């Protein structure tokens, strides 16, 4: 082989090698350019995620300042909408019966029910799956007949749990954020769930503490009322007993007293005996009411005759005190289904109070009339000192006594009469209330159904009285 041939072959190999080098260079150059692009994309993603994390950290700092569930809900919805750019969000809190009440929503023109948003959105199955699994549920997880219909509100909705140590506390319904925001959103909702649970526990504890304070205060009041009641009982039982004993001793000591004086003493003993019996009856009736053993003999009762009889009983007492006792009973007042003896006790209690607190020269007026829906209304009005507005409810409570009325007259008796009266009327399906102002007398009104318990229907005067 001559020298030219050798050089030709050598130059051919050099050219081939150079071509290969050029090709490899272009390949590596393309890889480097691609790597540079990937690094730039990664950098952009990293910057974006860093900004999101900074925003989430700022939001979480805000959670530490939130003191109510509503504050947490508002901040959470606002954060998802503004920081993570999720346009449509609903937050529902789980009720005890596994329904969800709306706490906050953004981006929805349509009205959403505040009672049960899972039913309103027609996506009950998705909500229950979130409760069961504690994981995110997407619309794509449902097919066929079980396809959820949130699409009328969202194009591609997903359901995210808000979880605490006690389980699922609520559900976030929102447009699916996509894979890029999924991890960030999951971390964010875990933190939000922890804060939400703490606030809910705090609110529950605050509510329980308030209830305990109210119950404790009520127990103190009841204890004081019981002590006062026992003092009243001891005093009221001692008073007639002392009178009976004193006048009996006088009769025994002075047997030769004129007949008129002996009769006067015997009348006092008789009245004090009746008074003592009435006091004991009040205590026994209260015991029966509290034990649920008070018996009622319901039958057709002539209400007009019952009212007339009770008024006649009090005519003597009111006459001696120069009190005018009148009545106006509607003609044709219907008979009612009731226990006549118990209703007589009600009328006697109310007339006794009216007589007790009406000064000499005053008036007592009894009225009875039919009112719509087969009901009857009976009222007893007096011209006594009246009752302060703040005591209108308390006078019907057990142990709740008004020591004085507007005229300064001290109330006697056990203070159980109105408590027993209210119970008797309620057992008949009726209601009672008082209309009074200090210095303007008092008017006690009660309504009874003609057909007995269970037939009292809504009357416009009933809804706001009592």
């Amino acid at each position: 082989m001559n020298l030219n041939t050798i050089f030709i072959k050598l130059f051919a190999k050099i050219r081939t090698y150079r071509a290969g080098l050029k090709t490899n260079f272009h390949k590596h150059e393309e890889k480097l350019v691609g790597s540079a692009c990937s690094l730039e994309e990664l950098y952009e993603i990293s910057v974006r995620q860093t900004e999101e994390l900074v925003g989430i950290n700022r939001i979480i700092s805000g959670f530490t300042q939130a003191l109510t569930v509503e504050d947490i809900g508002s901040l959470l919805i606002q954060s998802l909408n503004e920081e993570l750019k999720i346009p449509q969000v609903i937050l529902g809190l789980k009720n005890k019966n596994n329904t969800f009440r709306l706490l906050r929503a953004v981006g929805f023109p349509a009205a959403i029910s505040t009672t049960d948003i899972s039913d309103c959105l027609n996506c009950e199955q998705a909500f229950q799956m979130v409760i069961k699994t504690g994981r995110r549920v997407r619309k794509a997880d449902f097919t066929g007949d079980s396809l959820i219909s949130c699409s009328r509100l969202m194009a591609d909705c997903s359901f995210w749990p808000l979880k605490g140590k006690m389980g699922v506390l609520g559900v976030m319904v929102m447009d699916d954020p996509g894979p890029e925001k999924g991890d960030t959103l999951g971390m964010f909702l875990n933190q939000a769930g922890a804060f939400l649970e703490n606030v809910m526990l705090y609110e529950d504890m605050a509510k329980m503490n308030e209830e305990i304070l109210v119950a404790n205060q009520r127990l103190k009041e009841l204890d004081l009322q019981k002590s006062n009641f026992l003092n009243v009982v001891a005093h009221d039982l001692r008073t007639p007993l002392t009178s009976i004993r004193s006048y009996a001793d006088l009769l025994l000591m002075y047997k030769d007293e004129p007949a008129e004086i002996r009769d006067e003493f015997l009348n006092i003993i008789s009245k004090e005996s009746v008074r003592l019996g009435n006091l004991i009856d009040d205590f026994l009736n209260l015991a029966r009411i509290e034990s649920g053993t008070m018996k009622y003999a319901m039958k057709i009762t002539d209400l007009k005759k019952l009212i007339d009889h009770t008024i006649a009983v009090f005519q003597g007492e009111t006459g001696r005190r120069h009190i005018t006792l009148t009545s106006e009973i509607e003609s044709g007042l219907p008979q009612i289904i009731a226990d006549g003896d118990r209703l007589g006790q009600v009328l006697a209690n109310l007339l006794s109070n009216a007589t007790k607190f009406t000064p000499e020269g005053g008036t007592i007026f009894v009225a009875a009339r039919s009112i719509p829906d087969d009901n009857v209304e009976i009222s007893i009005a007096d011209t006594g000192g009246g009752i302060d507005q703040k005591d209108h409810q308390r006078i019907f409570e057990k142990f709740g006594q008004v020591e004085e009325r507007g005229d300064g007259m001290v109330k006697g008796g056990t203070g159980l009469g109105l408590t027993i009266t209210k119970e008797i009327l309620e057992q008949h399906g009726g209601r009672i209330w008082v209309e009074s102002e200090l210095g303007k007398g008092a008017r006690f009104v009660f309504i009874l159904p003609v057909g007995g318990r269970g037939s009292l229907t809504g009357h416009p005067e009933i809804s706001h009285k009592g």
Side-chain angles (χ1 to χ4, degrees):
M1 181 180 296
N2 58 29
L3 188 59
N4 286 334
T5 304
I6 292 173
F7 275 110
I8 290 170
K9 291 182 178 181
L10 179 61
F11 280 119
K13 288 182 178 181
I14 290 173
R15 284 196 298 270
T16 303
Y17 181 73
R18 287 179 62 187
L21 285 176
K22 188 174 182 180
T23 300
N24 287 334
F25 175 79
H26 287 308
K27 288 181 179 179
H28 286 294
E29 184 180 34
E30 290 175 357
K31 288 182 179 180
L32 287 173
V33 171
S35 297
C37 292
S38 298
L39 287 172
E40 185 176 355
E41 291 175 359
L42 288 174
Y43 175 75
E44 291 177 354
I45 293 172
S46 177
V47 169
R48 185 168 62 251
Q49 290 181 340
T50 300
E51 290 176 348
E52 290 177 353
L53 290 173
V54 169
I56 288 173
N57 185 61
R58 183 169 60 252
I59 297 164
I60 291 173
S61 298
F63 282 156
T64 62
Q65 306 299 319
L67 297 178
T68 66
V69 170
E70 285 70 20
D71 290 342
I72 291 282
S74 296
L75 187 58
L76 180 55
I77 291 290
Q78 180 182 352
S79 305
L80 293 173
N81 186 242
E82 296 179 1
E83 298 289 346
L84 298 183
K85 310 302 180 186
I86 299 176
Q88 291 181 296
V89 187
I90 301 172
L91 170 57
L93 289 185
K94 184 165 73 74
N95 299 317
K96 292 182 179 180
N97 60 354
N98 284 346
T99 59
F100 288 82
R101 67 179 178 90
L102 175 68
L103 187 63
R104 288 289 184 274
V106 66
F108 290 93
I112 298 175
S113 170
T114 59
T115 304
D116 185 1
I117 60 173
S118 62
D119 182 62
C120 177
L121 296 176
N122 195 19
C123 49
E124 171 70 19
Q125 189 177 1
F127 276 69
Q128 296 306 321
M129 184 175 288
V130 172
I131 294 176
K132 183 178 180 180
T133 64
R135 297 195 302 269
R136 177 177 64 158
V137 174
R138 292 173 295 185
K139 194 169 74 169
D141 297 333
F142 297 85
T143 58
D145 294 337
S146 64
L147 181 65
I148 56 179
S149 62
C150 287
S151 57
R152 65 189 178 91
L153 296 175
M154 299 177 180
D156 189 16
C157 58
S158 58
F159 303 78
W160 296 74
L162 274 176
K163 295 187 293 185
K165 292 181 180 180
M166 298 184 296
V168 176
L169 307 173
V171 173
M172 305 289 302
V173 186
M174 65 186 81
D175 284 318
D176 197 296
E180 293 181 358
K181 296 181 180 180
D183 293 338
T184 304
L185 181 59
M187 179 184 66
F188 171 62
L189 292 181
N190 286 338
Q191 293 290 329
F195 279 105
L196 179 63
E197 183 175 51
N198 288 337
V199 171
M200 291 175 72
L201 288 172
Y202 173 79
E203 288 189 349
D204 288 344
M205 290 179 63
K207 184 178 179 181
M208 290 175 60
N209 186 55
E210 183 179 351
E211 291 174 350
I212 290 172
L213 290 175
V214 171
N216 186 52
Q217 181 62 32
R218 180 58 179 161
L219 287 174
K220 290 180 179 179
E221 292 174 358
L222 288 174
D223 187 57
L224 178 61
Q225 290 174 354
K226 183 183 71 174
S227 297
N228 292 338
F229 171 73
L230 292 175
N231 289 334
V232 169
V233 170
H235 175 270
D236 284 347
L237 289 179
R238 188 185 299 115
T239 299
L241 282 174
T242 301
S243 296
I244 292 170
R245 180 176 178 179
S246 297
Y247 283 102
D249 287 343
L250 288 172
L251 287 172
L252 291 172
M253 291 173 60
Y254 302 101
K255 297 180 180 179
D256 297 331
E257 287 291 329
E260 59 270 17
I261 294 178
R262 294 176 62 85
D263 289 343
E264 180 183 351
F265 287 178
L266 288 172
N267 282 331
I268 293 174
I269 291 173
S270 176
K271 288 180 180 179
E272 291 300 304
S273 298
V274 171
R275 180 183 173 192
L276 182 61
N278 290 336
L279 290 172
I280 294 173
D281 284 342
D282 277 353
F283 302 144
L284 292 176
N285 284 330
L286 178 64
R288 294 188 188 103
I289 288 171
E290 291 185 331
S291 64
T293 58
M294 179 81 88
K295 295 181 179 180
Y296 296 85
M298 298 296 189
K299 58 185 178 181
I300 297 175
T301 301
D302 190 329
L303 190 56
K304 182 181 184 306
K305 185 182 293 186
L306 186 62
I307 295 172
D308 287 339
H309 172 74
T310 309
I311 290 174
V313 170
F314 281 85
Q315 286 288 3
E317 176 67 19
T318 55
R320 280 190 296 273
R321 296 187 53 203
H322 307 290
I323 296 172
T324 303
L325 175 56
T326 59
S327 65
E328 183 178 311
I329 302 175
E330 180 182 81
S331 176
L333 191 69
Q335 293 182 326
I336 65 173
I337 303 297
D339 184 324
D341 291 337
R342 297 298 182 197
L343 280 191
Q345 186 178 353
V346 167
L347 292 167
N349 283 341
L350 295 176
L351 274 172
S352 175
N353 283 344
T355 303
K356 187 184 303 179
F357 292 109
T358 300
E360 288 193 11
T363 61
I364 299 173
F365 180 67
V366 181
R369 65 189 180 104
S370 298
I371 58 176
D373 301 318
D374 289 328
N375 301 314
V376 291
E377 177 191 274
I378 298 94
S379 62
I380 297 176
D382 64 59
T383 56
I387 303 169
D388 198 324
Q389 179 73 32
K390 64 181 177 62
D391 294 320
H392 283 193
Q393 296 294 328
R394 193 161 69 89
I395 58 175
F396 293 103
E397 296 175 2
K398 183 178 63 175
F399 305 140
Q401 298 186 51
V402 180
E403 294 298 333
E404 295 185 0
R405 292 188 32 178
D407 51 14
M409 297 177 66
V410 179
K411 178 180 180 181
T414 61
L416 295 176
L418 289 177
T419 302
I420 295 170
T421 293
K422 181 173 180 287
E423 171 67 19
I424 291 173
L425 291 173
E426 288 179 351
Q427 289 298 320
H428 281 77
R431 294 190 63 180
I432 184 171
W433 65 90
V434 63
E435 300 168 354
S436 179
E437 295 180 24
L438 281 177
K440 295 185 178 181
R443 179 174 180 261
F444 285 84
V445 187
F446 63 91
I447 287 179
L448 289 170
V450 172
R453 182 180 177 85
S455 62
L456 184 66
T457 56
H459 188 273
E461 295 180 39
I462 297 176
S463 60
H464 65 283
K465 300 292 185 183

